[in-house]
Amino acid sequence: MNRKTARSHASLSAMALALCLGHAVPAMAAMTVSDEGVIVDGAAEPTAADAAADEGQATGNSGLTEIVVTATKRETNLQKTPISISVMGAETIRERKVQSLLDLADGGVPSLRVATFEARQSALTIGIRGIVPLDANQPAREQGVGVYIDGVYLGRQHGLNAALFDVERVEVLKGPQGTLFGRNTEGGALSMVSKVPTGEFGGRIDGSLGNIGGRSASLHLNLPKVAGFSVKLDGVYQHQDSVTKNPFADQAGWGLFNRKGMRAAVRWQPIDGLTNDFAYDVAKDENTPFYSQLLNYNPNNCLSGGTNTAPLAIPTGSTCLTPGTSFTGTQGTIRSLLPGVVVNGETLMRNADIGVPQQNSVDRTHGFTNVLKYKISPAIELRSITAWRGVDVEQYDNSGGYHRVPVVNLTAACAGANCAFSRYSLADLRQRQFSQEFQAVGSIGNVDYVAGLYYFNEHVSDDAATPNSMGVTAITTGGVVTGASFAPIPFCTGTVNAALGKAVAGCSIDRASEVWSKSYAAYGQVTWNATDALHLTVGGRYTRDDKRGVLHWSRNVNYDVNTAAATTNGYAPLDKTWNRFNPMATIAYDFNNDVHGYVKYSTGYRAGGASSRTSDYRAFNPEDVKNYEVGLKADLFDRHARINIAAYMMDRKGSQVDLSTIQPTATGNFNNLVTFNAPGTTKIRGIEADITVKPVEGLTLDASYAYTYTDIPLVPVTYKEFTSAGVPTGNSTTVPQKFFIVFTPRNAASGSIAYEMPVGDSGTRIKLHIDANYSQATQSFDQFATKADASFLVNARLSILDIPMGNGPKLNLGVWSRNLFNEQHVYRRDPSNSLPSVQSNAVAGVANITRIGNNGGILGDYGNFNMPRTFGIDASIQF
């Protein structure tokens, strides 16, 4: 029902998402995250009651108004729509100072989790209801939550953090959307809806100044309708200086961004019933990763040398073990801290301890969307959604310095030798996608129907290199190390391969791959309104996915040329086809005009693929999820209170799990990440509750809560033990390994208070908004029990709205702060440098050669802190 609309609407502006925000005029404040909404097919259609309805507020003294949504491809009352959805409207986007999708990481929608991949702003990990892939950063790996702009599906997580354009709302559909949305929507869908041309002259100019060099500006201009054509133009600019400064002169710091983009939309309405919306957008996002700090030193009390070689016993005086497993045999050297290295697990470092080479990463996104709607009669409307999009990424990530692999052991041997460290992660990605969807939507008697055909074609290529960029030279006195000096070392000085990207030019190539994906689908959904109160819905979607992939390079071996090494490493190209049928069924009942309930069965599926981080291009299969859900939506106390509750049980089979490893190859050993399908059934259970209360005129209270329980069955893993030199000792043991679903807190909650009052008789208003967001601590990596920190973030804004400027224009002024109390927490914690090294030959019966921990030495956990407090002022002129 809601899913189909969501897909249509969310995907369309994929690129627009990259640029879409800017301050919005007041609309949709009270609805915020507590109200459940729907996804619209294509861009947002303005209606007479938009401002009040979008906010879920009433004008005057009545309570909360009816919110009209189009989740079922037709206008329906949100409260009568049997799906769990949270909606963040334009007013709320402005009040919370949401400039990009990463700003939703504060937890304003408790079921929605947003995090950086590694420390990089340029690629986002997005999850809903415990469906959160750790590494969807590879061309042959898919996301578990579908991201859409104006109904168009975005195939990659790259480029998602560009500036938002003029967004009408952001909708979060919770639970599998496999019938109307299709593949890769197991957890749900995140849909952004852009504002469409109005056909009347008008617009808005926004500007903002803040700390950390923050500044932004945007222009949104509607032109008068001419010969049936209406045009809307949007331009956006956002900038922030480095959050953590780089001591290396003339090199980029960490946490900066510089975003700009443009969008043009044209609406053509030649005759009644026919509307064609065309939009083109282009955006550029320059950014750097967040700083990866050394959070502690040898936190597991590991011992150096042979004292840790026993495979099944903890050495005397040591508590060293691999979290999440029963394996306690360890090996490795405890590395000493380099001079000047800072250990800080309590606060965000605003100045790095050691400067390193780094330049800005660059994401470029662009594309067009065309949505054609023709209402032939009340019984049928035909729709066509056509889109072409592209993403180009140059990645320059030197966030770890000395804090992550490789860890240097400073000895006299480094005197004059420049022992290397500071892994510089360089990569290029190029993606192009085309999609075409046809829909027929209508009603015949007491039956509502949706039917559609869908085609998706994607081509992605990537490459990566990880050279060391810094060297340390030991200063010795009498053969004893008394200090150290640091200097950059030459890297990527080899022959430039024209077939590879700019970021890895001249480097030793870790990997390079290319993937071609095609998806075909046919779907249908029918709702029988059996009585005025009883509504029965059934639907199904058939999907065929064809995926072909090749690994061109692995650890500086060109597989296209050196086929012998490729064969030795067990390499096989990917050439797979998967077919799925995803059914759904819903029974909805209106107990009265204000109380509505539903029970639902829905399914979803995520396509399989292959890991380009492995030398054999190891393939993995799809995963499937079944969802059983019950929900209740109620308006109470003469619509002064609204309560929406959903409880669900999700069973996922073939869970795609990630395991960080070291893999032997014909040309040496290298770090990689293996994706495999866990055995058994992963259980995900949860409750979602949203409450909105309007006790008196002008005051709106919102609260949202999400409880999410997840459990992946134990996976039998056989580990080998290695010496500090990386030589197998012959010891091994099989233990039950526990894996975790990342970035999914057991408990998460959000609340907000909004109060506004009129000033004089000119329509001017004063509005205060405060929101608070809590998330329990959770894991950052599938294989480690180690958790990051809990978080509690508060945002606030005070606005003076609709100040008359004479002859029509109005001025909005505001002061705002995100993370008002400057709370600091580690949102991503990597324990791999604090663990012993053990190696695995088998995961769940699948041939695997993997290693856990850091064979190069034990140092400590490293990780990333959230953004510090930001604050500023802004102004908006609406004309």
Side-chain angles (χ1 to χ4, degrees), residues 51-77:
D54 283 345
E55 291 298 344
Q57 294 177 344
T59 58
N61 239 346
S62 56
L64 300 164
T65 62
E66 175 180 303
I67 300 174
V68 177
V69 297
T70 56
T72 57
K73 301 297 184 184
R74 67 198 75 251
E75 291 187 352
T76 58
N77 181 346

Short mmCIF file of all heavy atoms in Angstrom, two decimals, residues 51-77:
data_model
loop_
_atom_site.label_atom_id
_atom_site.label_comp_id
_atom_site.label_asym_id
_atom_site.label_seq_id
_atom_site.Cartn_x
_atom_site.Cartn_y
_atom_site.Cartn_z
N ALA A 51 -0.06 23.63 5.04
CA ALA A 51 0.65 24.07 6.24
C ALA A 51 0.10 23.42 7.48
O ALA A 51 0.85 22.92 8.31
CB ALA A 51 0.56 25.59 6.37
N ALA A 52 -1.21 23.42 7.64
CA ALA A 52 -1.79 22.83 8.84
C ALA A 52 -1.73 21.33 8.80
O ALA A 52 -1.32 20.69 9.76
CB ALA A 52 -3.24 23.30 9.00
N ALA A 53 -2.12 20.73 7.70
CA ALA A 53 -2.18 19.27 7.64
C ALA A 53 -0.81 18.65 7.75
O ALA A 53 -0.64 17.65 8.42
CB ALA A 53 -2.85 18.83 6.34
N ASP A 54 0.16 19.23 7.08
CA ASP A 54 1.50 18.66 7.13
C ASP A 54 2.02 18.64 8.55
O ASP A 54 2.80 17.79 8.93
CB ASP A 54 2.46 19.47 6.24
CG ASP A 54 2.26 19.13 4.78
OD1 ASP A 54 1.62 18.10 4.52
OD2 ASP A 54 2.72 19.89 3.93
N GLU A 55 1.64 19.62 9.34
CA GLU A 55 2.11 19.67 10.71
C GLU A 55 1.24 18.86 11.64
O GLU A 55 1.57 18.68 12.79
CB GLU A 55 2.15 21.13 11.19
CG GLU A 55 3.21 21.94 10.51
CD GLU A 55 4.58 21.40 10.79
OE1 GLU A 55 4.74 20.61 11.72
OE2 GLU A 55 5.51 21.77 10.08
N GLY A 56 0.13 18.40 11.16
CA GLY A 56 -0.76 17.66 12.03
C GLY A 56 -1.43 18.57 13.04
O GLY A 56 -1.92 18.13 14.07
N GLN A 57 -1.45 19.88 12.77
CA GLN A 57 -2.06 20.83 13.69
C GLN A 57 -3.32 21.40 13.07
O GLN A 57 -3.53 21.36 11.87
CB GLN A 57 -1.09 21.99 13.97
CG GLN A 57 0.15 21.57 14.71
CD GLN A 57 1.08 22.75 14.89
OE1 GLN A 57 0.93 23.76 14.23
NE2 GLN A 57 2.03 22.62 15.77
N ALA A 58 -4.13 21.93 13.93
CA ALA A 58 -5.32 22.60 13.43
C ALA A 58 -5.13 24.08 13.51
O ALA A 58 -4.36 24.58 14.30
CB ALA A 58 -6.53 22.19 14.26
N THR A 59 -5.84 24.79 12.69
CA THR A 59 -5.87 26.23 12.84
C THR A 59 -6.92 26.54 13.90
O THR A 59 -7.86 25.78 14.10
CB THR A 59 -6.25 26.88 11.51
OG1 THR A 59 -7.51 26.37 11.11
CG2 THR A 59 -5.22 26.56 10.46
N GLY A 60 -6.76 27.61 14.61
CA GLY A 60 -7.73 27.94 15.64
C GLY A 60 -7.59 27.03 16.85
O GLY A 60 -6.52 26.59 17.18
N ASN A 61 -8.74 26.74 17.51
CA ASN A 61 -8.70 26.06 18.80
C ASN A 61 -8.94 24.57 18.71
O ASN A 61 -8.92 23.90 19.71
CB ASN A 61 -9.76 26.66 19.71
CG ASN A 61 -9.12 27.21 20.95
OD1 ASN A 61 -7.98 26.91 21.21
ND2 ASN A 61 -9.87 28.01 21.66
N SER A 62 -9.27 24.06 17.53
CA SER A 62 -9.48 22.63 17.43
C SER A 62 -8.15 21.92 17.62
O SER A 62 -7.11 22.54 17.66
CB SER A 62 -10.10 22.29 16.08
OG SER A 62 -9.29 22.80 15.05
N GLY A 63 -8.20 20.60 17.70
CA GLY A 63 -6.98 19.86 17.97
C GLY A 63 -6.18 19.59 16.72
O GLY A 63 -6.13 20.40 15.80
N LEU A 64 -5.59 18.41 16.67
CA LEU A 64 -4.76 18.02 15.54
C LEU A 64 -5.63 17.73 14.33
O LEU A 64 -6.69 17.11 14.43
CB LEU A 64 -3.96 16.77 15.90
CG LEU A 64 -3.02 16.95 17.11
CD1 LEU A 64 -2.56 15.60 17.63
CD2 LEU A 64 -1.84 17.81 16.74
N THR A 65 -5.20 18.21 13.17
CA THR A 65 -6.01 18.04 11.95
C THR A 65 -5.73 16.69 11.30
O THR A 65 -4.76 16.01 11.60
CB THR A 65 -5.68 19.14 10.94
OG1 THR A 65 -4.32 19.02 10.57
CG2 THR A 65 -5.96 20.51 11.51
N GLU A 66 -6.58 16.36 10.38
CA GLU A 66 -6.37 15.17 9.55
C GLU A 66 -5.19 15.41 8.63
O GLU A 66 -5.03 16.49 8.05
CB GLU A 66 -7.64 14.90 8.74
CG GLU A 66 -7.50 13.75 7.76
CD GLU A 66 -8.79 13.54 6.99
OE1 GLU A 66 -9.84 13.32 7.63
OE2 GLU A 66 -8.76 13.63 5.75
N ILE A 67 -4.35 14.43 8.50
CA ILE A 67 -3.20 14.52 7.59
C ILE A 67 -3.48 13.64 6.39
O ILE A 67 -3.75 12.45 6.52
CB ILE A 67 -1.90 14.07 8.28
CG1 ILE A 67 -1.63 14.95 9.50
CG2 ILE A 67 -0.73 14.10 7.31
CD1 ILE A 67 -0.45 14.50 10.32
N VAL A 68 -3.45 14.23 5.21
CA VAL A 68 -3.72 13.50 3.98
C VAL A 68 -2.41 12.98 3.40
O VAL A 68 -1.45 13.74 3.24
CB VAL A 68 -4.44 14.39 2.96
CG1 VAL A 68 -4.66 13.64 1.65
CG2 VAL A 68 -5.78 14.86 3.53
N VAL A 69 -2.39 11.68 3.10
CA VAL A 69 -1.20 11.07 2.55
C VAL A 69 -1.57 10.26 1.32
O VAL A 69 -2.74 10.05 1.02
CB VAL A 69 -0.52 10.18 3.60
CG1 VAL A 69 -0.05 11.01 4.79
CG2 VAL A 69 -1.45 9.08 4.05
N THR A 70 -0.55 9.78 0.62
CA THR A 70 -0.80 9.01 -0.61
C THR A 70 -0.03 7.71 -0.60
O THR A 70 0.50 7.28 -1.61
CB THR A 70 -0.42 9.84 -1.85
OG1 THR A 70 0.95 10.25 -1.73
CG2 THR A 70 -1.32 11.04 -1.99
N ALA A 71 0.02 7.06 0.54
CA ALA A 71 0.80 5.84 0.66
C ALA A 71 0.26 4.74 -0.21
O ALA A 71 1.00 3.85 -0.62
CB ALA A 71 0.81 5.38 2.10
N THR A 72 -1.02 4.74 -0.48
CA THR A 72 -1.63 3.70 -1.31
C THR A 72 -1.82 4.17 -2.74
O THR A 72 -2.65 3.63 -3.47
CB THR A 72 -2.98 3.29 -0.70
OG1 THR A 72 -3.81 4.45 -0.60
CG2 THR A 72 -2.80 2.67 0.67
N LYS A 73 -1.09 5.18 -3.13
CA LYS A 73 -1.16 5.77 -4.48
C LYS A 73 -2.44 6.57 -4.68
O LYS A 73 -2.81 6.86 -5.81
CB LYS A 73 -1.08 4.68 -5.55
CG LYS A 73 0.18 3.87 -5.50
CD LYS A 73 1.39 4.73 -5.74
CE LYS A 73 2.65 3.91 -5.77
NZ LYS A 73 3.83 4.74 -5.93
N ARG A 74 -3.09 6.89 -3.59
CA ARG A 74 -4.28 7.73 -3.64
C ARG A 74 -4.32 8.49 -2.32
O ARG A 74 -3.63 8.11 -1.37
CB ARG A 74 -5.54 6.87 -3.81
CG ARG A 74 -5.85 6.01 -2.63
CD ARG A 74 -6.80 4.87 -2.97
NE ARG A 74 -6.09 3.83 -3.71
CZ ARG A 74 -6.28 3.58 -5.00
NH1 ARG A 74 -7.14 4.30 -5.70
NH2 ARG A 74 -5.61 2.64 -5.61
N GLU A 75 -5.08 9.55 -2.26
CA GLU A 75 -5.14 10.33 -1.03
C GLU A 75 -5.91 9.57 0.04
O GLU A 75 -7.04 9.14 -0.17
CB GLU A 75 -5.80 11.68 -1.28
CG GLU A 75 -4.96 12.61 -2.15
CD GLU A 75 -5.56 14.00 -2.24
OE1 GLU A 75 -6.70 14.19 -1.77
OE2 GLU A 75 -4.88 14.89 -2.77
N THR A 76 -5.26 9.38 1.21
CA THR A 76 -5.90 8.71 2.33
C THR A 76 -5.53 9.44 3.61
O THR A 76 -4.51 10.14 3.68
CB THR A 76 -5.46 7.24 2.44
OG1 THR A 76 -4.03 7.19 2.59
CG2 THR A 76 -5.87 6.44 1.22
N ASN A 77 -6.34 9.24 4.62
CA ASN A 77 -6.05 9.78 5.95
C ASN A 77 -4.89 9.02 6.55
O ASN A 77 -4.91 7.79 6.61
CB ASN A 77 -7.31 9.65 6.82
CG ASN A 77 -7.11 10.23 8.22
OD1 ASN A 77 -6.00 10.50 8.65
ND2 ASN A 77 -8.22 10.41 8.92
#
